[in-house]
Amino acid sequence: MSKVALVTGGSRGIGAAISKALQAAGYTVAANYAGNDDAARAFTEETGIKTYKWSVADYDACAAGIKQVEAELGPIAVLVNNAGITRDSMFHKMTPQQWKEVIDTNLTGLFNMTHPTWAGMRDRKYGRIVNISSINGQKGQAGQANYSAAKAGDLGFTKALAQEGARAGITVNAICPGYIGTEMVRAIDEKVLNERIIPQIPVGRLGEPEEIARCVVFLASDDAGFITGSTISANGGQFFV
Ligand SMILES: NC(=O)c1ccc[n+]([C@@H]2O[C@H](COP(=O)([O-])OP(=O)(O)OC[C@H]3O[C@@H](n4cnc5c(N)ncnc54)[C@H](OP(=O)(O)O)[C@@H]3O)[C@@H](O)[C@H]2O)c1
């Protein structure tokens, strides 16, 4: 029986690349998404990977969704907390709603997904949790106080949980992508992208979603059993911790 991997936000962007790479590595993959039914349908048609719709910002929906995935596919061995949103604004203009939506999805979403998965992983003495943070959680970014706070929080969550999971055979790691060519980044004004962002990336280009997916496959593998609480920075040399 192949191991089951659940990828949040797994039907588009980086998450879709992660879902496909895990499938290619032999996992039975479940891809969660929030609301874009057309993208989810097209993704399932292309890959055969089942998609499941719920919001990671809703604890009860996560618990029910995880139960459904486990009933249909089997116990979750690998959880990839990838779902994320941006609501960018300079701080003096940021609304409480922009703050709350990003914290609820990008930070509390990790609690909501990991908490209902944790007991089963502890019982089975095996688990792999990979959290997709961001370069902007490491260095901060103007216009993203909400996003930077949430993504930095993801790293603290990763390190604390790694200590709790170690004796139970559960590893917890994070990946901090730099700028990757997904819809989230292509939504940035082209002039800003070409004149301000890409010149700051020493390798001179955006990253590819598959370059993040390969990091996930490694951290999910049995070969990575001695790696926990760590952060892989995949950012083209833009920022060193
Ligand atoms: N792109 C980058 O350069 C970059 C850099 C650093 C970090 N990251 C992080 O990498 C992750 C993926 O980013 P991306 O660029 O691939 O984003 P994306 O293309 O915008 O895709 C986001 C995915 O997350 C899902 N999602 C959003 N809110 C959700 C919620 N509340 N519940 C469940 N699913 C939800 C979306 O579902 P729908 O399809 O239903 O909308 C979609 O599948 C995010 O955590 C992001 O912060 C991205």
Side-chain angles (χ1 to χ4, degrees), residues 42-241:
F43 177 77
T44 300
E45 276 168 21
E46 178 199 341
T47 62
I49 293 172
K50 284 182 100 168
T51 52
Y52 296 83
K53 179 171 161 176
W54 73 79
S55 173
V56 299
D58 178 339
Y59 183 89
D60 292 339
C62 291
I66 288 162
K67 211 169 163 186
Q68 186 190 352
V69 169
E70 294 202 319
E72 292 181 11
L73 305 180
I76 293 163
V78 178
L79 171 64
V80 185
N81 286 310
N82 164 78
I85 57 170
T86 51
R87 298 286 183 267
D88 294 355
S89 167
M90 292 304 283
F91 189 64
H92 63 284
K93 292 184 187 161
M94 187 173 285
T95 63
Q97 190 179 348
Q98 286 173 317
W99 173 267
K100 188 174 173 345
E101 283 177 11
V102 168
I103 298 295
D104 286 354
T105 302
N106 296 8
L107 178 57
T108 309
L110 270 61
F111 174 82
N112 294 344
M113 285 299 302
T114 308
H115 194 258
T117 314
W118 192 248
M121 287 184 173
R122 275 169 53 93
D123 288 347
R124 294 186 294 277
K125 298 259 176 288
Y126 186 88
R128 294 278 187 269
I129 295 171
V130 183
N131 299 319
I132 307 301
S133 175
S134 168
I135 184 176
N136 291 344
Q138 296 173 299
K139 71 173 187 59
Q141 176 59 46
Q144 290 195 322
N146 49 3
Y147 185 86
S148 299
K151 293 296 186 180
D154 293 345
L155 299 179
F157 176 79
T158 299
K159 292 172 198 169
L161 214 55
Q163 294 176 44
E164 293 193 25
R167 290 293 167 107
I170 307 169
T171 67
V172 189
N173 291 290
I175 298 170
C176 285
Y179 286 89
I180 310 298
T182 64
E183 281 173 45
M184 184 184 271
V185 163
R186 305 261 179 226
I188 298 171
D189 181 72
E190 206 173 321
K191 201 168 145 64
V192 173
L193 204 54
N194 289 331
E195 292 177 14
R196 299 223 331 247
I197 294 181
I198 293 178
Q200 289 175 26
I201 306 173
V203 302
R205 63 171 176 86
L206 298 176
E208 297 295 333
E210 292 73 20
E211 293 179 301
I212 304 306
R214 286 194 285 275
C215 298
V216 174
V217 171
F218 171 63
L219 290 173
S221 71
D222 289 343
D223 289 343
F226 200 57
I227 301 174
T228 193
S230 70
T231 301
I232 295 182
S233 298
N235 61 31
Q238 189 179 352
F239 183 74
F240 304 128
V241 183

